[in-house]
Structure formats: structure tokens, C-alpha cells
Amino acid sequence: MACSMSDLLLTPEVAWALATGGPWPDPENLQGDARFMAMALREGLKGVGLASPNPPVGCVLVKAGRVIGSGVHTRAGDPHGEIMALRDAEARGEDPKGSDAFVTLEPCCHHGRTGPCTLALIQAGVARVVVGVRDPNPRVDGGGLAILRAQGIAVEEGTLGEACARFHAPFFKLIRTGLPWVTLKLALGSDGSLGPIGRSTQVTPPDVQQLAHALRRASEAIVVGRHTIAVDDPQLTDRWQAPATPHRSFARVVLDEDGLLPASARVWVPVAGQPVFRAVTGDPVPLRGVEDLHLPPEGRGCSLRHLLYELAALGVGRVLVEGGGTLAAGFLAQGLVDEFHRFQSDLPAAGPALTLSIPTNWRMEAAIRWSTGCWEAWR
Ligand code: AOF
Ligand code: ZN
């Protein structure tokens, strides 16, 4: 697929590629239940980077082949996707009685921060519930489907099941392991290099950087190593330009175990809504406005696994590791990376070739490549 930058930024296809690395299930190319489930996934996309630690569940309500309501879960504590869809139907003056609900994840049946969606669907008189994938949360795990069936509601499971499982994989990992989903992003030159050691290079053209910012938006925390700060002095802020959708800004995390970075580094400058954390192993001099995460030492740095647990405790469900090479190597060596995004330039970065061995058989490898004047996204 090749298209212009503005197309790429705005299409759900690109948002999907950045969020899942998989092929976009375009509703236009699908029929029947799969088509409406693809629409529910498109709703769900709006909640990526917002809903963690909850899953960004999308839902559409369909009556006589027409969508009468749609919704997405965008923040823990706020109403779930099903409730938002029911409210949307009400706002449009539509009656959900007798409708089919298409939900990317099994409706919940428990009282958490909010009430059970199963009850809301039953009370609304929904006739059929089509579910993408079962919710592995032990408080749900098939219970939602059973409750709906016990009420005489027709329940289908597994419609676009693979796409829904791929979409909700970060939530599944969090609920099963307590660890957030880890995406590694590396910007490489055509020579396969990250650039000369100890010198700042910019191999990613400015418009491509917008995609990198879109990737940041899909995460709740970005992590970088000390060298990246020392060499590039980045702010690591949210500079996504389009479209101006509501979002929750990501936290900035710097691994500076011994507190060697100067207080003047730009990353420490406070940014509203974007807390900055310093991962330390010792007891370095505190920095104003910076919260230290005290981690056990491991090798020449800190325990990356502990860092991830700490971030999960802060409500982070998706972590973006942005560099540099040493940090990437550490995460890769410990098998802590779930997804890899390669931003490949057609210009050489003029440094040593990257020696990281990046598994080629990952379930998720998404890459975005700048090639002779047009964009290609592929997997
Ligand atoms: C749904 N629809 O949109 C979401 C679901 O604490 P709560 O009330 O927000 O519940 C969170 C749990 O509910 C979460 O761990 C997951 O099992 C499920 N998420 N379920 O029916 C939704 N986000
Ligand atoms: Zn629910």
C-alpha cells in the first residue's frame, strides 16, 4: 500500500497498523456479521492509548441492517463501550430493543468501577450479541456469555476473533501477566544503522516523525535510556498534529540508574499531563518535578521487568521503548518486547550497523518505510 502522508495519518488503516501491526479489517470489504464487527473495531481504535488498564472495547448496535448506535470505552471508570453505544442510540432517538450488539470483547458481568454490561444489554432488550473474543479477566471469562444465553439472547462468539484478539492483546497480556504491552520502535538508516555512536542523527524525515508521534499516542508511557537523553536532549512530549482527538498524554520515563544526567536536560522540564519519571537503582540527588522509580539493579542497569511492573501499577497498559540501541538490546535480550516498529529511511545513518537480533517471526511486526517519495506500511 502506498499513499500520501495525509492519507496515512488519517486512515483507520494506519491507526490500526500502529496499534496492532496487523492487516486492517476494512468494513467495506466485509459482509454480514464480520462487517459490523469491523465497525466495532473501528470504534475501538478511538480508545487506544486512552482506556488502559482497561481494554478499548468498541460496540455497534444494528437493527434491520442499519447501525443505530456506536460507542467505545475510553477511560477506566467511565462507561464501557456497550453503554456508550446504548446511550448513542438513545441520543439518536433509536430503540435498541430487538437489535444486534456487536462487541469486540465479551461483555462484562461484574461490578467493577462500573456496572455489568450484560445487565444493560438485557434491560435494553437486545436480541443478539455478537462477540469478537472472550474476556480473560477471571471475573468475566465466559460468565458474560453464559448470563446473556441464560436470558434467551442469541450469542455468537469469535466473529473476526483473530483481529479482536490482536486488538485486545495488550489487555490480555496485562490481565494474564501483570505486565504492560511493550512496543519497540527504532528508526534506522538505509544502512541498517541507528547512527554514529554518541552523535545525534535525524534519519527520520519530519513528516514521518508524525507517525512516530502517532505511535507515542497509542502508548501510556515512553521509555528511553540515558544515552538518548545525553545525545539528543529530547523533550519526549506529545506533538501529534492531526487529527485533534481527545487523548490522555503519556508519561515519560528515563533510565538514569546512577542519576548521571544533568538537571538541565530538557526532558525534566515539567509538561502538563505528562509526568516524568527517572528509573534509578541508587539514591541520586533528587530532581525537582521528577519522580524517582527505585528499582533493583540488574547487570549494568536496572531490572527492566521491575520497571514494567512499576509502570503497570501506575495504570500503564502500553509502553513504547524509543531507544537507544542499548536499551533496545536489554529489552530484547530479556524477551520483554511484544511488538516492533521499524521506521526505515532511504538515507544512510552512517553509523555501525545495528547488531540487535530482531526476531523475524513475531506475531506482530509492523514497519513503516519511507521509500522514494511515498509511504508504505506493511507487516
Ligand atoms: C466490557 N466493555 O468496554 C470494557 C470491558 O472496572 P470496570 O468496571 O471498568 O471493569 C473493567 C473490566 O471490564 C476490565 O478488566 C475488563 O475485564 C472489562 N472491560 N468490558 O464489557 C468494555 N472495557
Ligand atoms: Zn462492561
Side-chain angles (χ1 to χ4, degrees), residues 129-338:
V129 178
V130 183
V131 168
V133 64
R134 210 174 265 233
D135 183 351
N137 183 345
R139 299 176 76 189
V140 186
D141 199 13
L145 303 179
I147 286 173
L148 293 169
R149 286 196 175 111
Q151 293 293 320
I153 294 175
V155 175
E156 318 271 349
E157 191 187 347
T159 302
L160 288 190
E162 209 182 298
C164 291
R166 178 184 278 271
F167 181 62
H168 289 304
F171 169 70
F172 290 3
K173 181 186 181 196
L174 188 66
I175 207 102
R176 288 181 175 136
T177 68
L179 288 168
W181 187 259
V182 178
T183 299
L184 171 63
K185 179 219 129 186
L186 289 175
L188 304 176
S190 57
D191 49 358
S193 140
L194 284 171
I197 293 165
R199 259 207 4 248
S200 180
T201 37
Q202 189 65 68
V203 292
T204 319
D207 49 355
V208 185
Q209 283 172 38
Q210 272 307 301
L211 286 178
H213 285 295
L215 197 55
R216 284 185 178 178
R217 273 246 172 149
S219 315
E220 288 96 28
I222 48 177
V223 179
V224 298
R226 178 166 60 83
H227 292 294
T228 298
I229 301 292
V231 170
D232 292 336
D233 199 17
Q235 294 169 285
L236 303 180
T237 47
D238 184 0
R239 295 198 299 283
W240 165 260
Q241 283 166 2
T245 47
H247 70 288
R248 155 184 165 186
S249 287
F250 45 83
R252 302 169 292 157
V253 183
V254 180
L255 272 75
D256 184 19
E257 288 87 347
D258 301 314
L260 297 177
L261 286 171
S264 57
R266 294 198 306 163
V267 71
W268 308 134
V269 176
V271 175
Q274 291 202 261
V276 55
F277 296 93
R278 180 174 67 165
V280 297
T281 52
D283 234 343
V285 180
L287 293 169
R288 261 185 64 197
V290 178
E291 191 172 327
D292 283 342
L293 299 173
H294 292 272
L295 301 170
E298 200 173 286
R300 282 164 54 198
C302 66
S303 162
L304 298 176
R305 187 172 288 272
H306 275 83
L307 170 68
L308 294 177
Y309 282 125
E310 289 280 337
L311 293 177
L314 292 167
V316 168
R318 290 182 82 129
V319 172
L320 177 64
V321 177
E322 280 211 7
T326 313
L327 187 61
F331 273 97
L332 283 166
Q334 294 186 40
L336 293 171
V337 178
D338 299 294

Side-chain angles (χ1 to χ4, degrees), residues 51 53-58 72-83 103 105-118 135-140 168 171 175:
N54 280 354
V57 175
V72 56
H73 180 59
T74 53
R75 194 165 63 173
D78 281 1
H80 286 182
E82 299 89 319
I83 310 301
V103 200
L105 185 74
E106 173 184 9
C108 69
C109 52
H110 67 293
H111 287 270
R113 283 165 282 232
T114 64
C117 289
T118 42
D135 183 351
N137 183 345
R139 299 176 76 189
V140 186
H168 289 304
F171 169 70
I175 207 102

Side-chain angles (χ1 to χ4, degrees), residues 308-369:
L308 294 177
Y309 282 125
E310 289 280 337
L311 293 177
L314 292 167
V316 168
R318 290 182 82 129
V319 172
L320 177 64
V321 177
E322 280 211 7
T326 313
L327 187 61
F331 273 97
L332 283 166
Q334 294 186 40
L336 293 171
V337 178
D338 299 294
E339 181 183 348
F340 170 56
H341 288 255
R342 172 162 37 104
F343 284 59
Q344 180 106 35
S345 170
D346 58 359
L347 298 172
L354 193 68
T355 50
L356 301 178
S357 59
I358 293 166
T360 51
N361 60 343
W362 271 349
R363 191 178 78 85
M364 291 186 169
E365 177 184 346
I368 308 258
R369 181 171 66 152

Side-chain angles (χ1 to χ4, degrees), residues 39-63:
M39 291 181 184
L41 281 169
R42 194 170 55 192
E43 278 302 304
L45 267 180
K46 298 175 191 166
V48 172
L50 300 171
S52 288
N54 280 354
V57 175
C59 174
V60 298
L61 298 168
V62 177
K63 209 166 164 178

